[in-house]
Amino acid sequence: MGVKLGILGLGTVGTGTVQLLQDLVGRHPLLQEIEIYRVGVRSLSKPRAVELPEGIITTDLEAIVNDPTVDIVVEVMGGLEPARSLILKALSHGKHVVTANKAAIARFGAEIFTAANQAGVYVMLEAAVGGGIPVIQPLKQSLSVNQINAVTGIVNGTTNYILTRMQTEGSNFDDVLADAQKLGYAEADPTADVDGLDAADKIAILASLGFGGRIHLEDVYCEGIRQVSKTDIAYAEKLGFAIKLLAIAKRTFSSPSSPLSVRVHPTLVPKAHPLASINGVYNAILVEGEPIGQVMFFGPGAGAGATASAVSADILNLVATLKTSTTNPNPLLACRHQDYCEIAPIAELVTRFYARFLTKDRPGVIGKLGTCFGNFGVSLESIVQTGFQEELAEIVVVTYDVQEGNFRQALAEIRNLEAIDSIPSILRVL
Ligand SMILES: NC(=O)C1=CN([C@@H]2O[C@H](COP(=O)(O)OP(=O)(O)OC[C@H]3O[C@@H](n4cnc5c(N)ncnc54)[C@H](OP(=O)(O)O)[C@@H]3O)[C@@H](O)[C@H]2O)C=CC1
Ligand SMILES: N[C@@H](CC=O)C(=O)O
Ligand code: NA
Protein backbone atom coordinates (compact mmCIF):
# COMPACT_ATOMS: atom_id res chain seq x y z
CA MET A 1 0.00 0.00 0.00
CA GLY A 2 1.26 3.50 -0.86
CA VAL A 3 2.20 6.16 1.67
CA LYS A 4 -0.45 8.88 1.54
CA LEU A 5 0.59 12.53 1.54
CA GLY A 6 -1.56 15.42 2.63
CA ILE A 7 0.11 18.54 1.26
CA LEU A 8 -0.87 21.89 2.77
CA GLY A 9 -0.09 24.57 0.17
CA LEU A 10 0.39 24.56 -3.60
CA GLY A 11 2.42 27.73 -4.11
CA THR A 12 6.09 27.91 -5.12
CA VAL A 13 7.27 25.06 -2.87
CA GLY A 14 4.10 22.92 -3.00
CA THR A 15 4.03 23.08 -6.80
CA GLY A 16 7.75 22.26 -7.07
CA THR A 17 7.25 19.27 -4.76
CA VAL A 18 4.24 17.92 -6.69
CA GLN A 19 6.18 18.35 -9.96
CA LEU A 20 9.11 16.38 -8.56
CA LEU A 21 6.86 13.62 -7.20
CA GLN A 22 5.08 13.35 -10.57
CA ASP A 23 8.32 12.89 -12.52
CA LEU A 24 10.05 9.87 -11.01
CA VAL A 25 12.40 8.76 -13.77
CA GLY A 26 15.98 8.52 -12.50
CA ARG A 27 15.03 9.24 -8.89
CA HIS A 28 15.01 6.97 -5.81
CA PRO A 29 12.66 3.98 -6.37
CA LEU A 30 11.09 4.41 -2.93
CA LEU A 31 9.42 7.58 -4.26
CA GLN A 32 7.11 5.29 -6.23
CA GLU A 33 5.48 4.32 -2.92
CA ILE A 34 4.14 7.85 -2.46
CA GLU A 35 0.59 8.86 -3.28
CA ILE A 36 -0.37 12.54 -3.42
CA TYR A 37 -3.67 12.03 -1.66
CA ARG A 38 -4.90 15.54 -0.79
CA VAL A 39 -3.59 19.07 -1.44
CA GLY A 40 -4.95 22.00 0.58
CA VAL A 41 -5.11 25.52 -0.85
CA ARG A 42 -6.83 28.83 -0.17
CA SER A 43 -8.49 29.29 -3.56
CA LEU A 44 -9.94 26.62 -5.86
CA SER A 45 -10.23 29.01 -8.80
CA LYS A 46 -6.50 29.88 -9.02
CA PRO A 47 -4.75 28.44 -12.10
CA ARG A 48 -2.21 25.75 -11.14
CA ALA A 49 1.00 24.73 -12.90
CA VAL A 50 0.42 21.05 -12.07
CA GLU A 51 -2.38 18.68 -12.99
CA LEU A 52 -3.93 16.59 -10.24
CA PRO A 53 -6.90 14.21 -10.44
CA GLU A 54 -10.25 15.75 -9.53
CA GLY A 55 -11.08 15.87 -5.83
CA ILE A 56 -7.49 16.02 -4.61
CA ILE A 57 -7.29 19.80 -4.26
CA THR A 58 -9.42 21.12 -1.42
CA THR A 59 -9.80 24.22 0.71
CA ASP A 60 -10.58 22.09 3.78
CA LEU A 61 -7.13 21.81 5.37
CA GLU A 62 -8.58 20.63 8.69
CA ALA A 63 -10.03 17.61 6.90
CA ILE A 64 -6.54 16.73 5.60
CA VAL A 65 -4.84 16.74 9.01
CA ASN A 66 -7.78 14.88 10.60
CA ASP A 67 -8.03 12.24 7.85
CA PRO A 68 -6.97 8.86 9.32
CA THR A 69 -5.74 7.65 5.91
CA VAL A 70 -3.11 10.44 5.59
CA ASP A 71 0.33 9.17 6.71
CA ILE A 72 2.48 12.29 6.23
CA VAL A 73 1.43 15.94 6.30
CA VAL A 74 3.64 18.25 4.22
CA GLU A 75 3.19 21.82 5.46
CA VAL A 76 4.30 24.21 2.70
CA MET A 77 1.67 26.90 3.21
CA GLY A 78 3.83 29.21 5.36
CA GLY A 79 2.75 31.77 7.98
CA LEU A 80 2.19 31.20 11.68
CA GLU A 81 -1.50 30.40 11.89
CA PRO A 82 -3.23 28.23 10.81
CA ALA A 83 0.09 26.48 10.00
CA ARG A 84 0.95 25.92 13.70
CA SER A 85 -2.48 24.53 14.64
CA LEU A 86 -2.59 22.29 11.57
CA ILE A 87 0.89 20.87 12.31
CA LEU A 88 -0.09 20.23 15.95
CA LYS A 89 -3.33 18.57 14.89
CA ALA A 90 -1.51 16.35 12.38
CA LEU A 91 0.95 15.31 15.10
CA SER A 92 -1.79 14.62 17.61
CA HIS A 93 -3.34 12.25 15.04
CA GLY A 94 -0.01 10.36 14.82
CA LYS A 95 1.08 11.74 11.43
CA HIS A 96 4.67 12.57 10.58
CA VAL A 97 5.16 16.14 9.40
CA VAL A 98 7.48 17.67 6.81
CA THR A 99 7.66 21.46 6.92
CA ALA A 100 9.53 24.26 5.14
CA ASN A 101 8.19 26.77 7.66
CA LYS A 102 11.15 28.26 9.55
CA ALA A 103 8.95 31.03 10.97
CA ALA A 104 6.68 28.51 12.71
CA ILE A 105 9.55 26.25 13.84
CA ALA A 106 11.63 29.14 15.23
CA ARG A 107 8.65 30.36 17.29
CA PHE A 108 6.75 27.19 18.18
CA GLY A 109 9.52 24.58 17.93
CA ALA A 110 9.34 23.66 21.61
CA GLU A 111 5.59 23.01 21.42
CA ILE A 112 5.79 21.24 18.05
CA PHE A 113 8.71 18.92 18.92
CA THR A 114 7.25 18.09 22.32
CA ALA A 115 3.99 17.11 20.62
CA ALA A 116 5.91 15.04 18.04
CA ASN A 117 7.89 13.21 20.74
CA GLN A 118 4.70 12.50 22.70
CA ALA A 119 3.03 11.10 19.58
CA GLY A 120 6.13 9.11 18.59
CA VAL A 121 6.36 10.78 15.17
CA TYR A 122 8.90 13.03 13.42
CA VAL A 123 8.97 16.62 12.23
CA MET A 124 11.37 17.02 9.32
CA LEU A 125 12.52 20.48 8.26
CA GLU A 126 15.37 20.28 5.75
CA ALA A 127 13.71 22.87 3.50
CA ALA A 128 13.36 25.38 6.34
CA VAL A 129 17.05 26.42 6.23
CA GLY A 130 19.21 26.84 3.16
CA GLY A 131 16.44 25.75 0.74
CA GLY A 132 17.86 22.82 -1.23
CA ILE A 133 21.15 22.65 0.69
CA PRO A 134 21.37 19.62 2.96
CA VAL A 135 22.28 21.25 6.28
CA ILE A 136 19.68 20.15 8.84
CA GLN A 137 20.36 16.42 8.47
CA PRO A 138 24.16 16.93 8.41
CA LEU A 139 23.96 18.92 11.67
CA LYS A 140 21.64 16.33 13.24
CA GLN A 141 23.60 13.33 12.04
CA SER A 142 26.89 13.58 10.14
CA LEU A 143 28.36 16.35 12.34
CA SER A 144 26.63 15.53 15.62
CA VAL A 145 29.76 14.03 17.20
CA ASN A 146 31.57 17.39 16.93
CA GLN A 147 31.71 20.18 19.50
CA ILE A 148 30.40 23.04 17.38
CA ASN A 149 32.11 26.43 17.88
CA ALA A 150 30.44 28.52 15.18
CA VAL A 151 27.82 28.41 12.45
CA THR A 152 28.12 31.33 10.03
CA GLY A 153 25.89 31.56 7.02
CA ILE A 154 24.29 33.40 4.18
CA VAL A 155 20.86 31.91 4.74
CA ASN A 156 18.49 34.24 2.93
CA GLY A 157 18.39 33.94 -0.85
CA THR A 158 16.33 37.08 -1.45
CA THR A 159 18.72 39.47 0.32
CA ASN A 160 21.79 37.80 -1.15
CA TYR A 161 20.22 38.18 -4.59
CA ILE A 162 19.48 41.87 -3.89
CA LEU A 163 22.97 42.64 -2.49
CA THR A 164 24.67 40.80 -5.36
CA ARG A 165 22.77 42.74 -8.01
CA MET A 166 23.33 46.03 -6.19
CA GLN A 167 27.05 45.21 -6.11
CA THR A 168 27.51 43.88 -9.64
CA GLU A 169 25.00 46.01 -11.59
CA GLY A 170 24.50 48.99 -9.30
CA SER A 171 20.78 48.05 -9.43
CA ASN A 172 18.08 49.76 -7.45
CA PHE A 173 16.90 47.98 -4.28
CA ASP A 174 13.15 48.05 -5.07
CA ASP A 175 13.56 46.76 -8.66
CA VAL A 176 15.69 43.82 -7.56
CA LEU A 177 13.29 42.95 -4.74
CA ALA A 178 10.44 42.84 -7.28
CA ASP A 179 12.51 40.40 -9.40
CA ALA A 180 13.19 38.19 -6.34
CA GLN A 181 9.43 38.09 -5.71
CA LYS A 182 8.71 37.13 -9.33
CA LEU A 183 11.29 34.33 -9.12
CA GLY A 184 9.51 32.88 -6.04
CA TYR A 185 12.44 33.54 -3.66
CA ALA A 186 10.79 36.05 -1.32
CA GLU A 187 8.41 35.36 1.55
CA ALA A 188 4.71 36.21 1.14
CA ASP A 189 5.59 39.37 3.10
CA PRO A 190 9.13 40.24 1.87
CA THR A 191 9.71 42.36 4.99
CA ALA A 192 10.73 39.07 6.63
CA ASP A 193 13.56 38.76 4.11
CA VAL A 194 14.65 42.39 3.89
CA ASP A 195 14.62 43.07 7.65
CA GLY A 196 16.61 39.93 8.47
CA LEU A 197 13.73 38.17 10.28
CA ASP A 198 13.78 35.13 7.98
CA ALA A 199 17.54 34.78 8.52
CA ALA A 200 16.99 35.17 12.29
CA ASP A 201 14.48 32.30 12.25
CA LYS A 202 16.97 30.18 10.32
CA ILE A 203 20.00 30.88 12.52
CA ALA A 204 17.87 30.14 15.62
CA ILE A 205 17.14 26.72 14.11
CA LEU A 206 20.78 26.10 13.13
CA ALA A 207 22.05 27.26 16.53
CA SER A 208 19.63 24.95 18.27
CA LEU A 209 20.85 21.98 16.22
CA GLY A 210 24.52 22.92 16.42
CA PHE A 211 24.65 23.79 20.10
CA GLY A 212 22.11 21.29 21.42
CA GLY A 213 19.61 23.61 23.14
CA ARG A 214 16.54 25.65 22.34
CA ILE A 215 16.82 29.32 21.37
CA HIS A 216 14.47 32.14 22.39
CA LEU A 217 13.94 34.02 19.13
CA GLU A 218 13.89 37.35 20.99
CA ASP A 219 17.53 36.71 22.03
CA VAL A 220 18.62 36.77 18.38
CA TYR A 221 19.98 40.22 17.51
CA CYS A 222 18.67 41.20 14.07
CA GLU A 223 19.39 43.93 11.51
CA GLY A 224 18.28 43.77 7.87
CA ILE A 225 19.72 45.25 4.69
CA ARG A 226 17.60 48.40 4.27
CA GLN A 227 20.42 50.68 5.45
CA VAL A 228 22.98 49.18 3.06
CA SER A 229 23.50 51.77 0.33
CA LYS A 230 25.28 51.68 -3.02
CA THR A 231 27.84 54.07 -1.46
CA ASP A 232 28.73 51.53 1.27
CA ILE A 233 28.91 48.69 -1.27
CA ALA A 234 31.36 50.79 -3.33
CA TYR A 235 33.49 51.71 -0.26
CA ALA A 236 33.52 48.09 0.89
CA GLU A 237 34.67 47.00 -2.57
CA LYS A 238 37.53 49.55 -2.50
CA LEU A 239 38.57 48.34 0.96
CA GLY A 240 38.57 44.68 -0.17
CA PHE A 241 35.22 43.50 1.23
CA ALA A 242 31.83 42.28 -0.04
CA ILE A 243 28.74 43.18 1.99
CA LYS A 244 26.67 40.11 2.93
CA LEU A 245 23.75 39.54 5.28
CA LEU A 246 25.38 37.08 7.67
CA ALA A 247 23.64 34.94 10.25
CA ILE A 248 26.07 33.96 12.98
CA ALA A 249 25.83 31.67 16.00
CA LYS A 250 29.07 31.42 17.90
CA ARG A 251 30.46 30.55 21.31
CA THR A 252 31.65 33.78 22.95
CA PHE A 253 34.70 31.96 24.41
CA SER A 254 36.37 28.73 23.39
CA SER A 255 34.85 26.73 26.27
CA PRO A 256 31.94 24.46 25.17
CA SER A 257 29.81 25.82 28.05
CA SER A 258 30.28 29.54 27.26
CA PRO A 259 27.24 31.62 26.21
CA LEU A 260 26.38 32.03 22.55
CA SER A 261 26.27 35.12 20.41
CA VAL A 262 23.43 34.71 17.90
CA ARG A 263 22.91 37.52 15.40
CA VAL A 264 21.94 38.60 11.91
CA HIS A 265 23.34 41.74 10.33
CA PRO A 266 24.87 43.04 7.12
CA THR A 267 28.60 42.41 7.38
CA LEU A 268 31.72 43.41 5.48
CA VAL A 269 33.27 40.08 4.53
CA PRO A 270 36.92 40.06 3.40
CA LYS A 271 37.06 39.11 -0.29
CA ALA A 272 39.33 36.14 0.49
CA HIS A 273 36.73 34.59 2.86
CA PRO A 274 34.70 31.75 1.26
CA LEU A 275 31.39 33.46 2.11
CA ALA A 276 32.36 36.61 0.14
CA SER A 277 31.94 34.87 -3.20
CA ILE A 278 28.48 33.38 -2.52
CA ASN A 279 26.28 35.32 -4.92
CA GLY A 280 22.71 35.56 -6.17
CA VAL A 281 20.13 33.25 -4.63
CA TYR A 282 22.86 30.90 -3.42
CA ASN A 283 23.28 30.28 0.30
CA ALA A 284 26.25 28.87 2.18
CA ILE A 285 26.68 27.74 5.76
CA LEU A 286 30.14 27.44 7.28
CA VAL A 287 30.23 25.13 10.30
CA GLU A 288 33.26 25.12 12.59
CA GLY A 289 33.72 22.36 15.09
CA GLU A 290 36.10 20.10 16.88
CA PRO A 291 37.55 17.83 15.56
CA ILE A 292 36.12 18.43 12.05
CA GLY A 293 37.61 21.94 11.61
CA GLN A 294 35.67 23.84 8.95
CA VAL A 295 33.01 22.44 6.64
CA MET A 296 30.92 24.55 4.25
CA PHE A 297 27.55 23.73 2.71
CA PHE A 298 26.74 25.59 -0.49
CA GLY A 299 23.80 25.58 -2.91
CA PRO A 300 20.55 27.22 -4.00
CA GLY A 301 18.85 28.77 -0.95
CA ALA A 302 15.39 29.37 -2.38
CA GLY A 303 13.18 28.65 -5.36
CA ALA A 304 10.73 25.92 -6.33
CA GLY A 305 13.03 23.13 -7.53
CA ALA A 306 15.72 23.51 -4.88
CA THR A 307 13.23 23.60 -2.03
CA ALA A 308 11.23 20.72 -3.49
CA SER A 309 14.43 18.65 -3.42
CA ALA A 310 14.73 19.17 0.34
CA VAL A 311 11.01 18.60 1.04
CA SER A 312 10.97 15.42 -1.04
CA ALA A 313 14.13 14.08 0.65
CA ASP A 314 12.41 14.49 4.03
CA ILE A 315 9.32 12.72 2.69
CA LEU A 316 11.54 9.90 1.41
CA ASN A 317 13.20 9.57 4.81
CA LEU A 318 9.78 9.22 6.44
CA VAL A 319 8.60 6.72 3.83
CA ALA A 320 11.67 4.62 4.66
CA THR A 321 10.85 4.95 8.38
CA LEU A 322 7.23 3.92 7.81
CA LYS A 323 8.38 0.95 5.75
CA THR A 324 10.76 -0.29 8.45
CA SER A 325 8.18 0.54 11.19
CA THR A 326 10.36 0.17 14.27
CA THR A 327 8.64 0.72 17.58
CA ASN A 328 11.55 2.68 19.09
CA PRO A 329 11.95 6.25 17.78
CA ASN A 330 15.18 7.01 15.91
CA PRO A 331 17.01 9.55 18.16
CA LEU A 332 18.80 10.99 15.12
CA LEU A 333 15.50 11.96 13.48
CA ALA A 334 13.75 13.12 16.69
CA CYS A 335 14.44 16.37 18.56
CA ARG A 336 16.20 15.80 21.90
CA HIS A 337 16.41 19.40 23.23
CA GLN A 338 14.89 20.33 26.58
CA ASP A 339 16.86 23.37 27.79
CA TYR A 340 17.47 26.83 26.38
CA CYS A 341 20.95 28.11 25.36
CA GLU A 342 22.41 31.09 27.21
CA ILE A 343 22.80 34.01 24.79
CA ALA A 344 25.19 36.95 25.39
CA PRO A 345 23.85 40.51 24.81
CA ILE A 346 25.02 42.26 21.62
CA ALA A 347 26.84 44.94 23.67
CA GLU A 348 29.31 42.23 24.71
CA LEU A 349 30.12 41.26 21.12
CA VAL A 350 33.75 41.77 20.12
CA THR A 351 34.02 42.60 16.43
CA ARG A 352 35.51 44.99 13.89
CA PHE A 353 33.32 47.85 12.64
CA TYR A 354 33.01 49.91 9.47
CA ALA A 355 31.51 53.39 9.89
CA ARG A 356 30.86 56.17 7.38
CA PHE A 357 30.69 59.77 8.60
CA LEU A 358 29.55 62.94 6.84
CA THR A 359 31.44 65.85 8.32
CA LYS A 360 32.05 69.54 7.74
CA ASP A 361 35.12 69.91 5.53
CA ARG A 362 37.53 71.55 7.93
CA PRO A 363 40.96 70.80 9.37
CA GLY A 364 41.24 68.61 12.48
CA VAL A 365 38.06 66.54 12.04
CA ILE A 366 39.95 63.28 11.56
CA GLY A 367 42.00 64.06 14.69
CA LYS A 368 38.81 64.65 16.73
CA LEU A 369 37.33 61.35 15.52
CA GLY A 370 40.55 59.58 16.51
CA THR A 371 40.49 61.18 19.98
CA CYS A 372 36.87 60.15 20.66
CA PHE A 373 37.57 56.58 19.54
CA GLY A 374 40.76 56.54 21.64
CA ASN A 375 38.78 57.64 24.73
CA PHE A 376 36.84 54.36 24.57
CA GLY A 377 39.73 52.07 23.60
CA VAL A 378 38.72 51.82 19.95
CA SER A 379 41.77 51.40 17.67
CA LEU A 380 41.46 52.20 13.99
CA GLU A 381 42.71 49.82 11.33
CA SER A 382 42.10 52.32 8.51
CA ILE A 383 40.63 55.76 8.00
CA VAL A 384 39.98 57.22 4.55
CA GLN A 385 38.56 60.46 3.26
CA THR A 386 38.00 60.07 -0.47
CA GLY A 387 34.67 61.60 -1.39
CA PHE A 388 32.34 64.49 -0.87
CA GLN A 389 28.55 64.55 -0.72
CA GLU A 390 27.68 68.12 -1.69
CA GLU A 391 29.69 70.27 0.77
CA LEU A 392 30.17 67.48 3.31
CA ALA A 393 33.34 65.38 3.50
CA GLU A 394 32.88 61.64 3.64
CA ILE A 395 35.14 59.78 6.08
CA VAL A 396 35.19 55.99 6.35
CA VAL A 397 36.83 54.11 9.22
CA VAL A 398 37.44 50.42 9.87
CA THR A 399 38.28 49.53 13.46
CA TYR A 400 40.23 46.69 14.99
CA ASP A 401 38.30 44.28 17.23
CA VAL A 402 36.41 46.23 19.87
CA GLN A 403 33.62 45.50 22.32
CA GLU A 404 30.38 46.70 20.71
CA GLY A 405 29.36 48.61 23.86
CA ASN A 406 32.61 50.66 23.80
CA PHE A 407 32.23 51.40 20.09
CA ARG A 408 28.65 52.64 20.63
CA GLN A 409 29.80 54.91 23.48
CA ALA A 410 32.48 56.41 21.23
CA LEU A 411 29.86 56.99 18.52
CA ALA A 412 27.58 58.75 21.01
CA GLU A 413 30.42 61.18 21.81
CA ILE A 414 31.26 61.61 18.11
CA ARG A 415 27.63 62.45 17.28
CA ASN A 416 27.93 65.47 19.63
CA LEU A 417 30.95 66.89 17.79
CA GLU A 418 30.04 70.15 16.08
CA ALA A 419 31.86 69.09 12.89
CA ILE A 420 29.83 65.87 12.49
CA ASP A 421 26.77 66.14 10.25
CA SER A 422 25.65 62.50 10.37
CA ILE A 423 26.73 58.85 10.55
CA PRO A 424 24.85 57.25 7.62
CA SER A 425 26.22 53.76 8.14
CA ILE A 426 27.63 51.50 10.78
CA LEU A 427 28.32 47.92 9.74
CA ARG A 428 30.16 45.05 11.38
CA VAL A 429 33.23 43.52 9.75
CA LEU A 430 33.94 39.78 9.79
N1 LIG B 1 9.76 30.07 -1.80
C1 LIG B 1 10.92 29.55 -1.41
O1 LIG B 1 11.93 29.60 -2.12
C2 LIG B 1 11.03 28.89 -0.08
C3 LIG B 1 9.97 28.88 0.81
N2 LIG B 1 10.08 28.26 2.01
C4 LIG B 1 8.95 28.21 2.92
O2 LIG B 1 7.94 27.38 2.32
C5 LIG B 1 6.65 27.80 2.73
C6 LIG B 1 5.81 28.07 1.48
O3 LIG B 1 6.42 29.08 0.73
P1 LIG B 1 5.94 29.40 -0.78
O4 LIG B 1 5.63 28.15 -1.50
O5 LIG B 1 6.97 30.32 -1.31
O6 LIG B 1 4.59 30.20 -0.48
P2 LIG B 1 3.45 30.59 -1.51
O7 LIG B 1 2.85 31.86 -1.00
O8 LIG B 1 3.95 30.54 -2.90
O9 LIG B 1 2.38 29.40 -1.34
C7 LIG B 1 1.60 29.23 -0.21
C8 LIG B 1 0.53 28.16 -0.50
O10 LIG B 1 -0.19 27.88 0.68
C9 LIG B 1 -1.58 28.12 0.48
N3 LIG B 1 -2.08 28.76 1.69
C10 LIG B 1 -1.49 29.76 2.40
N4 LIG B 1 -2.25 30.09 3.45
C11 LIG B 1 -3.35 29.29 3.40
C12 LIG B 1 -4.50 29.16 4.21
N5 LIG B 1 -4.69 29.91 5.29
N6 LIG B 1 -5.43 28.23 3.87
C13 LIG B 1 -5.25 27.46 2.77
N7 LIG B 1 -4.16 27.54 1.96
C14 LIG B 1 -3.24 28.44 2.29
C15 LIG B 1 -1.70 29.03 -0.72
O11 LIG B 1 -2.96 28.78 -1.36
P3 LIG B 1 -3.36 29.51 -2.75
O12 LIG B 1 -2.43 28.94 -3.78
O13 LIG B 1 -4.77 29.10 -2.98
O14 LIG B 1 -3.16 30.97 -2.51
C16 LIG B 1 -0.49 28.58 -1.55
O15 LIG B 1 -0.84 27.50 -2.36
C17 LIG B 1 6.88 29.02 3.62
O16 LIG B 1 6.92 28.60 4.95
C18 LIG B 1 8.26 29.53 3.18
O17 LIG B 1 8.91 30.25 4.19
C19 LIG B 1 11.24 27.63 2.40
C20 LIG B 1 12.31 27.61 1.57
C21 LIG B 1 12.30 28.27 0.28
N1 LIG C 1 12.50 33.85 1.41
C1 LIG C 1 13.49 32.85 1.67
C2 LIG C 1 13.06 31.57 1.04
C3 LIG C 1 13.80 30.42 1.54
O1 LIG C 1 13.84 30.10 2.71
C4 LIG C 1 14.83 33.28 1.10
O2 LIG C 1 14.86 34.25 0.33
O3 LIG C 1 15.85 32.69 1.45
NA1 NA D 1 18.11 22.78 3.56
Side-chain angles (χ1 to χ4, degrees):
M1 221 171 61
V3 172
K4 291 188 168 45
L5 294 190
I7 303 179
L8 310 179
L10 192 56
T12 302
V13 180
T15 302
T17 304
V18 170
Q19 278 168 340
L20 192 154
L21 296 176
Q22 286 181 337
D23 171 21
L24 297 183
V25 181
R27 308 193 200 283
H28 198 290
L30 207 49
L31 289 169
Q32 289 158 14
E33 309 272 328
I34 295 168
E35 182 189 344
I36 299 172
Y37 179 74
R38 288 281 179 277
V39 179
V41 296
R42 202 189 270 124
S43 151
L44 286 179
S45 57
K46 217 180 203 179
R48 304 288 167 184
V50 283
E51 274 185 39
L52 286 161
E54 222 178 290
I56 288 196
I57 300 186
T58 171
T59 52
D60 191 352
L61 278 66
E62 290 273 338
I64 297 178
V65 297
N66 290 331
D67 187 333
T69 51
V70 169
D71 300 296
I72 300 172
V73 166
V74 180
E75 187 277 300
V76 285
M77 61 190 293
L80 300 181
E81 284 293 0
R84 168 187 158 275
S85 305
L86 290 167
I87 290 173
L88 288 172
K89 225 165 257 178
L91 296 171
S92 74
H93 289 303
K95 300 178 197 314
H96 297 290
V97 169
V98 173
T99 179
N101 194 335
K102 53 271 164 158
I105 293 295
R107 284 161 188 78
F108 312 124
E111 186 183 19
I112 287 172
F113 289 112
T114 303
N117 289 343
Q118 278 166 359
V121 291
Y122 303 118
V123 177
M124 307 289 281
L125 58 144
E126 187 55 77
V129 185
I133 307 172
V135 63
I136 301 287
Q137 282 314 102
L139 277 174
K140 278 170 85 169
Q141 301 191 357
S142 329
L143 294 174
S144 60
V145 298
N146 286 272
Q147 287 172 349
I148 302 298
N149 303 318
V151 179
T152 308
I154 293 171
V155 291
N156 183 267
T158 302
T159 45
N160 204 44
Y161 178 81
I162 294 173
L163 289 173
T164 302
R165 287 198 45 198
M166 283 173 75
Q167 187 181 345
T168 54
E169 300 164 22
S171 310
N172 173 292
F173 182 96
D174 293 322
D175 294 345
V176 195
L177 173 58
D179 285 349
Q181 287 177 288
K182 272 188 229 140
L183 289 162
Y185 302 158
E187 295 302 303
D189 175 2
T191 314
D193 297 294
V194 171
D195 290 337
L197 310 171
D198 176 76
D201 292 342
K202 289 168 174 169
I203 196 66
I205 293 170
L206 293 180
S208 179
L209 291 170
F211 296 100
R214 291 183 171 143
I215 303 286
H216 289 293
L217 198 53
E218 54 276 21
D219 288 341
V220 180
Y221 176 84
C222 180
E223 274 176 34
I225 63 162
R226 282 185 208 273
Q227 85 276 26
V228 177
S229 65
K230 286 188 204 172
T231 311
D232 294 311
I233 291 175
Y235 270 116
E237 176 87 30
K238 270 190 212 156
L239 292 163
F241 298 97
I243 299 185
K244 298 289 178 192
L245 184 71
L246 290 194
I248 303 172
K250 200 174 177 178
R251 291 249 176 248
T252 45
F253 308 104
S254 53
S255 137
S257 59
S258 71
L260 301 179
S261 159
V262 188
R263 51 202 163 93
V264 170
H265 47 70
T267 311
L268 273 74
V269 181
K271 287 266 178 76
H273 192 282
L275 290 172
S277 52
I278 307 304
N279 289 324
V281 72
Y282 284 93
N283 283 190
I285 298 109
L286 177 68
V287 179
E288 294 169 71
E290 200 284 315
I292 183 88
Q294 293 190 327
V295 58
M296 190 157 107
F297 301 88
F298 164 76
T307 313
S309 163
V311 168
S312 306
D314 279 349
I315 296 170
L316 188 68
N317 231 313
L318 291 175
V319 172
T321 304
L322 286 166
K323 291 279 155 194
T324 45
S325 81
T326 80
T327 43
N328 293 326
N330 177 345
L332 294 180
L333 288 186
C335 174
R336 65 194 157 85
H337 305 147
Q338 300 294 336
D339 301 323
Y340 282 84
C341 294
E342 187 187 348
I343 311 286
I346 192 77
E348 289 177 14
L349 175 70
V350 174
T351 180
R352 291 192 290 164
F353 278 95
Y354 157 103
R356 181 161 59 89
F357 301 88
L358 289 178
T359 75
K360 291 177 186 151
D361 185 28
R362 64 173 66 140
V365 178
I366 287 184
K368 283 186 181 139
L369 278 178
T371 306
C372 287
F373 278 130
N375 290 344
F376 293 92
V378 182
S379 303
L380 300 184
E381 187 180 293
S382 66
I383 180 158
V384 283
Q385 179 182 348
T386 51
F388 278 90
Q389 289 209 8
E390 290 159 12
E391 285 106 68
L392 295 171
E394 201 161 42
I395 298 175
V396 167
V397 305
V398 176
T399 72
Y400 283 110
D401 267 346
V402 54
Q403 195 166 67
E404 173 134 359
N406 291 358
F407 180 75
R408 297 279 168 193
Q409 280 181 294
L411 286 185
E413 195 169 296
I414 288 168
R415 272 199 188 88
N416 290 331
L417 292 176
E418 196 271 324
I420 297 294
D421 177 82
S422 58
I423 311 176
S425 8
I426 300 157
L427 296 166
R428 294 171 191 82
V429 179
L430 192 65

